[in-house]
């Protein structure tokens, strides 16, 4: 494989990784603010959003790039393969270290309209049962904040 071909493959892989990481998210005009009273709070753990696959791909591409700078001919090809494999293993391990669950709260809020809403979010000190709160946002982006 030539360096030019490997560069193109690396660029395509990077574009795919970045496209996979993109999220549509909520637009500011979609945000809803509701009011209510906390009825129940349960401690829970929230899984982190770190993806070991992204670390492995980025590590592999980095190793491939560094390996391409070493030697020439067959030696360069071997260095690129070893660099890609080593980078993949190293990148996955680094990403795995950050894959720890977060302490969180499962909060049940009775809104002013009478609907019971459940929100899971990182622990927010100061929230208590019976407290008046706002529910900001919706879906995974919803958060309970003191009123």
């Amino acid at each position: 494989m030539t360096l030019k071909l490997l560069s193109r493959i690396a660029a395509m892989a990077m574009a795919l990784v970045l496209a996979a990481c993109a999220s549509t998210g909520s637009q500011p005009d979609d945000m809803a603010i509701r009011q209510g009273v906390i009825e129940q709070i349960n401690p829970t753990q929230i899984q982190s959003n770190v993806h070991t696959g992204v670390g492995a791909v980025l590590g592999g591409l980095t190793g491939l790039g560094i390996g391409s700078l070493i030697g020439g001919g067959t030696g360069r090809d071997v260095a690129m393969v070893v660099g890609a494999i080593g980078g993949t293993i190293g990148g996955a391990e680094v990403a795995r270290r950050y894959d720890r669950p977060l302490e969180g709260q499962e909060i049940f809020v009775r809104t002013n309209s009478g609907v019971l809403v459940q929100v899971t979010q990182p622990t927010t000190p100061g929230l208590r049962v019976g407290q008046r709160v706002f529910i900001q946002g919706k879906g995974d982006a919803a958060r309970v904040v003191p009123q």
Side-chain angles (χ1 to χ4, degrees):
M1 283 188 172
T2 67
L3 182 58
K4 194 174 199 180
L5 178 61
L6 287 174
S7 296
R8 287 184 183 169
I9 292 172
M12 288 190 312
M14 182 62 78
L16 288 173
V17 168
L18 294 175
C21 292
S23 67
T24 56
S26 296
Q27 298 298 324
D29 57 340
D30 289 342
M31 301 299 282
I33 299 178
R34 294 166 284 184
Q35 298 179 20
V37 176
I38 296 177
E39 287 195 357
Q40 185 176 352
I41 299 175
N42 300 324
T44 188
Q45 291 191 338
I46 302 169
Q47 294 301 315
S48 75
N49 59 358
V50 175
H51 302 288
T52 56
V54 173
V57 169
L58 292 177
L61 291 174
T62 302
L64 179 68
I66 292 171
S68 70
L69 300 174
I70 298 172
T74 310
R76 178 182 293 179
D77 293 343
V78 171
M80 290 169 59
V81 170
V82 170
I85 292 170
T88 300
I89 293 169
E93 183 59 34
V94 168
R96 204 172 291 120
R97 288 184 185 168
Y98 292 100
D99 190 21
R100 294 189 183 127
L102 305 169
E103 294 299 319
Q105 296 171 309
E106 185 179 48
I107 305 167
F108 294 89
V109 177
R110 179 73 61 185
T111 64
N112 291 347
S113 64
V115 175
L116 187 63
V117 177
Q118 182 268 334
V119 176
T120 301
Q121 67 184 35
T123 300
T124 304
L127 292 180
R128 64 188 187 293
V129 174
Q131 182 178 14
R132 295 207 48 81
V133 293
F134 291 116
I135 302 172
Q136 297 177 334
K138 60 183 180 180
D140 290 342
R143 294 293 173 255
V144 176
V145 295
Q147 200 172 26

